[in-house]
Amino acid sequence: GAGVSQSPRYKVAKRGQDVALRCDPISGHVSLFWYQQALGQGPEFLTYFQNEAQLDKSGLPSDRFFAERPEGSVSTLKIQRTQQEDSAVYLCASSLDRAGGYTFGSGTRLTVV
Amino acid sequence: EDQVTQSPEALRLQEGESSSLNCSYTVSGLRGLFWYRQDPGKGPEFLFTLYSAGEEKEKERLKATLTKKESFLHITAPKPEDSATYLCAVQALDRGSTLGRLYFGRGTQLTVWP
């Protein structure tokens, strides 16, 4: 596609519920990143994929967070047993390589109530 | 620890009033410094990459410059449509699998009023 597509755009979850956030990167983009952006803050790194390989997951805040990219294209970020502190915008970005200048999606705004 | 600090946090300008945004950084080996623009409800939009001290990039009313410790985003004769949050990010030199990760500042919220 022309850009990075994320779905859903908005998600309201009850505390303790599991959620899954989807990212469709630009076709052919090897690198895929997930970032978390709290209100009034800059994006914070969560995890990085090169094709289907998850090369860095050091930014995932807890073992409740899990990401996958099984076929090297679409990626899913899953959050189990959501907590209020998980409320944020989750951004996905993709690139042909790791050189930077990534294209970001519009994000999924997650609100945990 | 890699760190990016942006100032001011917020800036209000009258249309046509030029100004600069600052991004200071500490990183053990800079691979690149990035400027992004973010509109409300949208993801960051890539503007510039700078790689070495002394480098400059321009795009319309925006010019980005880089020194060894900071970067400036100069806005010349801004218009209301330039209103957005401007984010600065750094990328460190090769750290194996973490290469590519961006460290962002908190951004400068720019408002340009007519």
Side-chain angles (χ1 to χ4, degrees), chain A residues 7-78:
Chain A
S7 60
R9 287 282 286 123
Y10 304 93
K11 176 70 179 177
V12 178
K14 291 184 178 179
R15 192 171 56 180
Q17 188 178 356
D18 297 348
V19 298
L21 313 180
R22 177 186 169 105
C23 172
D24 257 293
I26 294 173
S27 178
H29 276 195
V30 169
S31 295
L32 186 146
F33 294 82
W34 284 97
Y35 285 81
Q36 180 190 60
Q37 187 173 25
L39 191 63
Q41 305 290 319
E44 294 276 347
F45 171 81
L46 293 176
T47 187
Y48 163 62
F49 289 87
Q50 182 174 317
N51 295 307
E52 68 279 2
Q54 188 175 21
L55 297 187
D56 187 355
K57 54 182 181 179
S58 63
L60 296 175
S62 77
D63 59 8
R64 296 185 295 104
F65 287 71
F66 172 76
E68 61 184 6
R69 194 186 185 196
E71 297 178 359
S73 54
V74 171
S75 178
T76 303
L77 177 67
K78 297 179 179 178

Side-chain angles (χ1 to χ4, degrees), chain A residues 9-10 33 35 37 40-45 48 55-56 58-59 91 98-107 109, chain B residues 31 34 36 38 41-46 49 51 85 87 91 94 96-107:
Chain A
R9 287 282 286 123
Y10 304 93
F33 294 82
Y35 285 81
Q37 187 173 25
Q41 305 290 319
E44 294 276 347
F45 171 81
Y48 163 62
L55 297 187
D56 187 355
S58 63
L91 295 165
R98 295 181 292 184
Y102 311 124
T103 301
F104 279 85
S106 291
R109 180 177 294 278
Chain B
R31 187 174 190 277
F34 301 81
Y36 284 85
Q38 188 172 28
K42 299 283 184 66
E45 176 189 346
F46 172 71
T49 309
Y51 293 104
T85 296
L87 295 165
Q91 189 179 56
D94 193 354
S97 63
T98 62
L99 176 65
R101 171 178 180 171
L102 295 179
Y103 297 85
F104 281 89
R106 295 177 64 169

Side-chain angles (χ1 to χ4, degrees), chain A residues 11-19 64 79-87 110-113:
Chain A
K11 176 70 179 177
V12 178
K14 291 184 178 179
R15 192 171 56 180
Q17 188 178 356
D18 297 348
V19 298
R64 296 185 295 104
I79 309 174
Q80 297 177 324
R81 304 182 303 282
T82 52
Q83 307 287 321
Q84 280 194 315
E85 61 263 29
D86 300 334
S87 296
L110 173 65
T111 304
V112 182
V113 298

Side-chain angles (χ1 to χ4, degrees), chain B residues 65-107:
Chain B
T65 62
L66 180 65
T67 72
K68 288 186 177 180
K69 293 293 184 185
E70 58 191 350
S71 176
F72 292 93
L73 185 65
H74 308 277
I75 303 177
T76 302
K79 298 182 177 181
E81 53 262 42
D82 295 323
S83 298
T85 296
Y86 290 85
L87 295 165
C88 171
V90 297
Q91 189 179 56
L93 283 172
D94 193 354
R95 291 183 183 167
S97 63
T98 62
L99 176 65
R101 171 178 180 171
L102 295 179
Y103 297 85
F104 281 89
R106 295 177 64 169

